[in-house]
Structures are given as structure tokens and as C-alpha cells.
């Protein structure tokens, strides 16, 4: 999702990503976004749970002049249990012009953003029906894409229409009828996006072709198993940069970048950089999941988003002191951690965002070595808030992401990354990376064509990591993911002996080993039951706890610094407002 390491920059008062966004287009007289549509991933209804989606032919016409859309969603649905009703989510601001079942017009009910469509018969498990929905209207305009989602109606510097969507928190029902839940992916999506002649619609998957008639051009795309919020509209006077990558798995992967005119050199350079990312991910994680389609980028008027095989890119090709485009790399990480592996509920979103964020320091370790890795992790550490569990105990809505008091929408990034690092140090590289592969691909030996999309929970990750490491990791996952506060390491020096004790929020033991450096050596102190000690050999012996920062723990120093930053920001805010 949104470039994750921005949290540290926000704490330092340099919100460069937010500042890079174009001002939102006024919503004119549109009604407010309904609570049902504003939320994504709400519990499935009985009918929705019983409905699988083997195919969708989705036709959408984009009218930039009127900031309006119209479309038809032609579904083949399949019952996985007896079902008499089809239920789809769609923003009620749209007008539904017709609904048919197996070609016959049907009555339906529409309430609070959900369409209830009688099938006229009971589908037994395995049986199919065809449901077609036509709609039109003015979609919700994003106030601050990609954080607050919707349509972005913008213009290029030359005054040409430049249109994009970003709907992760609000979901697919913001602009097309869908089952707005991460587990309800369409197995095959054929999309036809019609735009004014002269514009290009860059879409998900493989381009099948395009045709022009009566001043409009229709661009036809096909993809498999798209993540529901990763189906995207990208329209502009695009030019195309192309390249290819010879995978270590024997297949050739096409790379495509739809960029604005005048950006050809920058686009070509970023495509070359993408090859490095591909090499990294395929070595460390496994095969690119959509190598039979493409690696795709579309230049957008908002910062970025992990739209499957057509990642939104709005970072303006900015250089970075790390020597790589962190936004492009982060969004690309989501092809593995969001689009191939999808969290099974909102509560488990850290699997997408935390593991996706860990891929930035891991990339720096792979490319530049240990110092770059530790420096990147140290920077991320400053952003942690620890106000609420990374995995809340009760079901949450996607809107919880924007709850600034809870801070959950920030911690799932950097804290998730720090947790990943600590788990890796605890169980070792072999167990850690095998666990990641099994989590992402459903198997430890992924190769192109031998895996399918995975829907995963934190419990799944814990089970897999325990199987691979041979260790009980309940205490680890409970402490870091199901409790808010970080564990505190208490130190007490008694003569030449250093006594250590872990204290966690629940009061339960935390048997995390701790390394202590002294006298030119490093000793790993077992912390059975959460306590341990080491003989330093001298009352005056200098020592360093956890010299390589292997363990995520509470830091009073960071907490004081964060409080100071918040105080300075509040002073600056008051000074600006004159209060």
C-alpha cells in the first residue's frame, strides 16, 4: 500500500509524500460516502460466502469531461453451497440501469450499498449462473489519494485528462459492483476500458488489443485472480516504455511502464531498476507471481498503490540517498505481499504491509550489505507508536487504518517490519525464508505455474514458522502482534554479574534470548522464563546489550524523542494558525 517508511518522516516533521500530492478535485454536490461503502472487508453475508466468482467481463466507460463513468459487470457466479440470492456491493451514489440473471431482467433490492438479486432458483454447490449489472454515475472523488481513496480526476501539464483510482481502504465497490472482501477474488477478469480517443487505459494483466470508434477507444485486458482493491483505472496520454527480464526460473517476464510524455528517459531508467528488484525478490522470496502477464507501472497523479501487474507510480522519479526508488520497490513488494498472498481479514493486514515494508531494508542488505540493512531498520524503529496491537483481538473495519489515535495504520508497516527482522534473528534464515515462501506460495518449492493465490492469517504464519523452526512461538506472536506495548528489558548489575529480566504487557514470560557484548566477545544469554544473567568478569567491565539490534524492545530514549517531536509539531501548528 502507501509507501510505508513515510511514518518516520512524519515523526520528523517532513511529510514529503503527502506534500507531493496534487490538491483534490472538489466533490461538487456529490452526496457523502456511505458508511457501508467507506468500509472494506466487512463480514460476508451468507449469500456472499456461498458465492465464488470464476469469471467477470467488466466494461467501464470513463468520461473525464463530466467526471462520470458507466459500465456493465457480466459475472459467472458459482455456488460453493446452496444459494438462492446473489449479493454485490456498489456505492449507492450510482444508478443501476439493469440487472439480468441468465439473460432475463430481474427485480432486485438495493439498500445501503448492497444489491440483493434473486436468482430465481436454488443453485446447488458447483452450479453456475450468469448475473449482469449495468450502472452509471459520478464516482466518489478522492480527497487525499491514496490514503483517502476514490477517483482522481486530474490533468497533465499539457492539459490532457489524467485519471486514476486508489481504493484500498474503501474497496472495489467505490466504482464497480463486486463482493468487497479480500477473499472474493475473481478467477478470471476480462476488462474493457473505454476512454476518449487519444488517451490510453493501462490495465491489469495482459493487453488483448484496442479499437477506436466514434471518438472513443476501448482497451481490452485480461488477468487472473486480481486482488479486489488492486483492480485499477489508469488513463492518460501515455507513452509506453518496454523491457524484459530473464528470470532465474527460466521464464522471460515483460516489463511495461505507461508514462507521461517527456518522461521516457526516467521511465527507461526505472525499468532497469525494476530488473534489480525482480532479481532480489526472486532470489529471496520466490518467482514473480504474474510472470505470464507482466510487471507493469502506470504514472499517476497520486503517490502510489499496489495495483496488480499495473502498480501506480507517482514519485516523480525523485532521487534518494539510498540509491533506489523506495516507493517503486515497496509497491512492487506487494505483488508478493498483497496480490499473491492476501490477508484473509483486515486484522491481518500487517502480513501485507509489514512484510512488504521489511522488503526495503532486506533489499538494502542484499544489495549493499549489513550496514545499510541495520541503518534502514534503525530509521524504521523511530516510527513505532505501540498504542494498539498489530493484530487486534476483535474484528476491525478498514477505516481503523485512518484512526490517528490508535496509530494502527502506521504500526502495521514499520512495526511489522521490525517484528519480521526479530523473528528472522530468532529462528534463523533457513526457517524464516522457508516460512515466508510457504506463507506466500503455499509450498516451499515454488516455481512458475505450480502455485495459486493464498489467503492467510497471522495464525497461519505462526503455525508455519513453528513447523519450520521446530519451536513454540506462541509467546513471540502474542507479545509482538497481539499486545500493544513492546517488551521491556530490565537490567540490574550486581558486582560482576549482569541480571536481565523481560517484562511484557500481559505479565507472561518472554523467553527471548539476549546478546551481551563485553571484553571483546558476544555472549547469548538464555532467558528461560524471561530471566537470565551473565558474569562480566569485572565490576567495571563495559557491556552493550543487543549490539546488532536483533531484538525489538521498548526504548525510553525513542519515546522521549517522539514526545519532543510531537511537541514541536504542535507548536508549529499553533504558530501557523495564530493561536
Amino acid at each position: 500500500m502507501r509507501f510505508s517508511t513515510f511514518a518516520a518522516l512524519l515523526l520528523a516533521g517532513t511529510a514529503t509524500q503527502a506534500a507531493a500530492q496534487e490538491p483534490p478535485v472538489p466533490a461538487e454536490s456529490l452526496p457523502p460516502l456511505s458508511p457501508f461503502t467507506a468500509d472494506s472487508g466487512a463480514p460476508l453475508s451468507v449469500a456472499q460466502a456461498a458465492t465464488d466468482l470464476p469469471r467477470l467481463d467488466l466494461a467501464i466507460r470513463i468520461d473525464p469531461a463530466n467526471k462520470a463513468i458507466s459500465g456493465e459487470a457480466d459475472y459467472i457466479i458459482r455456488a460453493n453451497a446452496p444459494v438462492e440470492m446473489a449479493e454485490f456491493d456498489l456505492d449507492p451514489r450510482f444508478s443501476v440501469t439493469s440487472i439480468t440473471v441468465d439473460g432475463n431482467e430481474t427485480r432486485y433490492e438495493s439498500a445501503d450499498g448492497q444489491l440483493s438479486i434473486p436468482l430465481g432458483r436454488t443453485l446447488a454447490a458447483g452450479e453456475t449462473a450468469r448475473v449482469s449489472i449495468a450502472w452509471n454515475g459520478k464516482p466518489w472523488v478522492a480527497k487525499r489519494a491514496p490514503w483517502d481513496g476514490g477517483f482522481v480526476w486530474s490533468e497533465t501539464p499539457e492539459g490532457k485528462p489524467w485519471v486514476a483510482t486508489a481504493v484500498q481502504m474503501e474497496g472495489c465497490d467505490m466504482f464497480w459492483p463486486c463482493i468487497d472482501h479480500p477473499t472474493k477474488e475473481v478467477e478470471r477478469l476480462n476488462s474493457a476500458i473505454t476512454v476518449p480517443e487519444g488517451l490510453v487505459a493501462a490495465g491489469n494483466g495482459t493487453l488483448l488489443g484496442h479499437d477506436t470508434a466514434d471518438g472513443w477507444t476501448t482497451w481490452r485486458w485480461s488477468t487472473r485472480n486480481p486482488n479486489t482493491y488492486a483492480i485499477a483505472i489508469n488513463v492518460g496520454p501515455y507513452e509506453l516504455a518496454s523491457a524484459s527480464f530473464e528470470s532465474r526460473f527460466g521464464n522471460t517476464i515483460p516489463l511495461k511502464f505507461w508514462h507521461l510524455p517527456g518522461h521516457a528517459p526516467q521511465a527507461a531508467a526505472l525499468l532497469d531498476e525494476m530488473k534489480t528488484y525482480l532479481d532480489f525478490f526472486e532470489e529471496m522470496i520466490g518467482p514473480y507471481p504474474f510472470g505470464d502477464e507482466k510487471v507493469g507501472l502506470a504514472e499517476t497523479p497520486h503517490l502510489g498503490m499496489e495495483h496488480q501487474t499495473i502498480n501506480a507510480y507517482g514519485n516523480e522519479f525523485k532521487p534518494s540517498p539510498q540509491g533506489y526508488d523506495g516507493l517503486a520497490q515497496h509497491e512492487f513488494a506487494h505483488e508478493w505481499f498483497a496480490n499473491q498472498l492476501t490477508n484473509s481479514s483486515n486484522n491481518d493486514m500487517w502480513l501485507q504491509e509489514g512484510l512488504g515494508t521489511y522488503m526495503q531494508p532486506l533489499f538494502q542488505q542484499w544489495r549493499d550489505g549489513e550496514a545499510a540493512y541495520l541503518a534502514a531498520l534503525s530509521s524504521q524503529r523511530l516510527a513505532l507508536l505501540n498504542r494498539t496491537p498489530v493484530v487486534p483481538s476483535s474484528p476491525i473495519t478498514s477505516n481503523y487504518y485512518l484512526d490517528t489515535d490508535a496509530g494502527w495504520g502506521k504500526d502495521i508497516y514499520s512495526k511489522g517490519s521490525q517484528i519480521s527482522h526479530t523473528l528472522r534473528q530468532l529462528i534463523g534464515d533457513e526457517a524464516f525464508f522457508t516460512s515466508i515462501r510457504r506463507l506466500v506460495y503455499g509450498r516451499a518449492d515454488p516455481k512458475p505455474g505450480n502455485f495459486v493465490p493464498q489467503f492467510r492469517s497471522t495464525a497461519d504464519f505462526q503455525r508455519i514458522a513453528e513447523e519450520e523452526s521446530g519451536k513454540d512461538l506462541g509467546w513471540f506472536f502474542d507479545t509482538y502482534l497481539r499486545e500493544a506495548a513492546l517488551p521491556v528489558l530490565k537490567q540490574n548489575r550486581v558486582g560482576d554479574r549482569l541480571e536481565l529480566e523481560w517484562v511484557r504487557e500481559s505479565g507472561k514470560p518472554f523467553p527471548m534470548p539476549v546478546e551481551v557484548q563485553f571484553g571483546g566477545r558476544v555472549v547469548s544469554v538464555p532467558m528461560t522464563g524471561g530471566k537470565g544473567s551473565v558474569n562480566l568478569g569485572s565490576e567495571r567491565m563495559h557491556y552493550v546489550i543487543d549490539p546488532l539490534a536483533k531484538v525489538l524492545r521498548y526504548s525510553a530514549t525513542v519515546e522521549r524523542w517522539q514526545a519532543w517531536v510531537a511537541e514541536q509539531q504542535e507548536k508549529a501548528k499553533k504558530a501557523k494558525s495564530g493561536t
Side-chain angles (χ1 to χ4, degrees):
M1 195 172 67
R2 299 93 168 134
F3 183 37
S4 59
T5 55
F6 80 94
L9 297 175
L10 286 174
L11 282 170
T14 56
T16 55
Q17 281 81 358
Q21 301 306 297
E22 294 294 327
V25 178
E28 301 171 339
S29 59
L30 293 179
L33 195 62
S34 71
F36 185 85
T37 302
D39 188 22
S40 182
L44 294 166
S45 68
V46 173
Q48 288 176 328
T51 302
D52 293 334
L53 305 170
R55 197 194 77 193
L56 168 62
D57 294 330
L58 180 64
I60 300 179
R61 176 175 289 217
I62 310 298
D63 184 356
N66 294 301
K67 296 183 174 62
I69 67 173
S70 59
E72 181 175 3
D74 188 6
Y75 277 99
I76 299 296
I77 67 170
R78 181 178 60 236
N80 58 54
V83 64
E84 300 176 347
M85 187 84 65
E87 291 185 345
F88 291 95
D89 305 321
L90 181 65
D91 189 343
R93 76 186 56 252
F94 293 113
S95 297
V96 176
T97 56
S98 74
I99 295 182
T100 63
V101 176
D102 294 327
N104 301 311
E105 289 275 353
T106 187
R107 295 182 177 181
Y108 63 92
E109 293 183 2
S110 178
D112 299 325
Q114 189 168 80
L115 303 173
S116 298
I117 306 166
L119 296 175
R121 58 191 174 101
T122 299
L123 293 185
E127 289 187 330
T128 63
R130 182 175 179 177
V131 178
S132 297
I133 305 166
W135 79 101
N136 62 51
K138 291 192 173 186
W140 176 256
V141 176
K143 294 181 178 180
R144 192 174 64 104
W147 295 277
D148 289 299
F151 258 71
V152 180
W153 302 100
S154 187
E155 290 184 348
T156 68
E158 295 74 29
K160 300 290 186 180
W162 192 18
V163 184
T165 57
V167 299
Q168 181 178 29
M169 288 301 104
E170 299 81 3
C172 48
D173 56 338
M174 291 194 85
F175 70 98
W176 58 280
C178 61
I179 300 180
D180 185 16
H181 193 275
T183 63
K184 289 300 176 179
E185 293 180 353
V186 176
E187 295 171 24
R188 171 60 59 179
L189 169 67
N190 299 309
S191 60
I193 306 170
T194 300
V195 298
E197 186 176 358
L199 299 179
V200 176
N204 303 92
T206 302
L207 178 63
L208 303 180
H210 66 281
D211 52 78
T212 300
D214 301 323
W216 296 84
T217 301
T218 298
W219 298 81
R220 305 182 189 281
W221 298 87
S222 185
T223 190
R224 57 178 172 79
N225 301 109
N227 188 334
T228 53
Y229 73 81
I231 296 171
I233 300 295
N234 303 283
V235 174
Y238 288 129
E239 297 177 354
L240 178 61
S242 299
S244 63
F245 175 77
E246 298 301 323
S247 167
R248 64 182 59 236
F249 293 94
N251 56 317
T252 301
I253 302 171
L255 285 74
K256 308 287 184 181
F257 191 168
W258 284 266
H259 60 86
L260 294 185
H263 291 171
Q266 299 96 316
L270 186 54
L271 280 187
D272 278 342
E273 199 170 300
M274 295 295 293
K275 295 178 185 178
T276 307
Y277 304 157
L278 262 170
D279 197 28
F280 158 74
F281 280 111
E282 290 207 324
E283 179 178 345
M284 300 302 294
I285 308 302
Y288 175 60
F290 310 104
D292 56 333
E293 296 183 356
K294 70 176 184 302
V295 171
L297 294 149
E299 195 170 355
T300 56
H302 65 82
L303 184 62
M305 180 60 67
E306 61 268 20
H307 298 142
Q308 189 166 310
T309 73
I310 189 67
N311 283 338
Y313 177 81
N315 204 33
E316 301 177 347
F317 309 98
K318 295 174 183 175
S320 76
Q322 291 78 27
Y324 77 105
D325 194 312
L327 178 96
Q329 203 271 3
H330 177 77
E331 303 304 348
F332 191 47
H334 281 308
E335 297 284 25
W336 286 263
F337 304 102
N339 298 336
Q340 168 59 28
L341 155 69
T342 304
N343 51 241
S344 55
S345 73
N346 289 325
N347 293 57
D348 299 301
M349 195 178 292
W350 85 275
L351 293 175
Q352 297 184 175
E353 300 301 346
L355 291 172
T357 299
Y358 183 56
M359 294 302 108
Q360 284 81 76
L362 187 63
F363 173 70
Q364 290 187 250
Q365 183 184 40
W366 177 84
R367 189 194 62 174
D368 299 322
E370 200 69 16
Y373 173 69
L374 294 176
L377 286 168
S378 179
S379 176
Q380 288 181 350
R381 173 65 182 85
L382 302 179
L384 274 56
L385 299 177
N386 308 306
R387 297 172 189 158
T388 191
V390 173
V391 181
S393 58
S394 300
I396 59 171
T397 71
S398 61
N399 287 327
Y400 193 50
Y401 178 91
L402 296 174
D403 186 330
T404 55
D405 291 333
W408 176 82
K410 291 183 179 179
D411 273 358
I412 57 175
Y413 291 87
S414 291
K415 189 172 182 179
S417 174
Q418 301 281 306
I419 292 168
S420 302
H421 163 72
T422 299
L423 178 62
R424 178 185 172 194
Q425 306 310 307
L426 177 66
I427 66 176
D429 277 10
E430 182 176 355
F432 177 79
F433 285 109
T434 303
S435 296
I436 294 295
R437 290 187 188 97
R438 287 183 56 191
L439 186 74
V440 170
Y441 299 100
R443 59 192 302 160
D445 61 342
K447 296 178 178 61
N450 76 351
F451 55 86
V452 297
Q454 301 294 308
F455 301 97
R456 295 295 200 179
S457 68
T458 302
D460 292 328
F461 191 19
Q462 178 180 330
R463 172 182 54 80
I464 292 170
E466 288 179 335
E467 290 172 355
E468 291 301 325
S469 67
K471 297 179 179 180
D472 176 7
L473 297 173
W475 57 272
F476 180 97
F477 279 79
D478 286 347
T479 301
Y480 284 122
L481 293 160
R482 301 180 181 108
E483 297 176 12
L486 292 176
V488 177
L489 183 61
K490 290 187 173 182
Q491 307 173 36
N492 181 37
R493 188 162 185 166
V494 182
D496 59 1
R497 179 163 294 276
L498 176 64
E499 297 177 345
L500 302 172
E501 179 182 3
W502 284 113
V503 178
R504 55 184 277 203
E505 188 175 35
S506 65
K508 296 179 180 179
F510 185 64
M512 174 67 76
V514 178
E515 289 187 350
V516 181
Q517 177 181 301
F518 63 96
R521 61 194 180 111
V522 176
V523 173
S524 180
V525 181
M527 298 291 286
T528 306
K531 295 182 180 181
S533 64
V534 60
N535 193 320
L536 301 176
S538 167
E539 293 184 2
R540 298 184 60 85
M541 176 65 71
H542 172 71
Y543 67 91
V544 178
I545 298 289
D546 193 19
L548 293 179
K550 293 183 176 181
V551 182
L552 176 60
R553 58 190 170 105
Y554 169 77
S555 169
T557 301
V558 170
E559 186 174 71
R560 285 193 298 271
W561 175 80
Q562 289 176 336
W564 176 82
V565 169
E567 180 182 336
Q568 301 308 305
Q569 290 175 333
E570 185 62 26
K571 287 180 180 179
K573 182 179 178 181
K574 288 181 178 179
K576 185 176 181 179
S577 63
T579 59

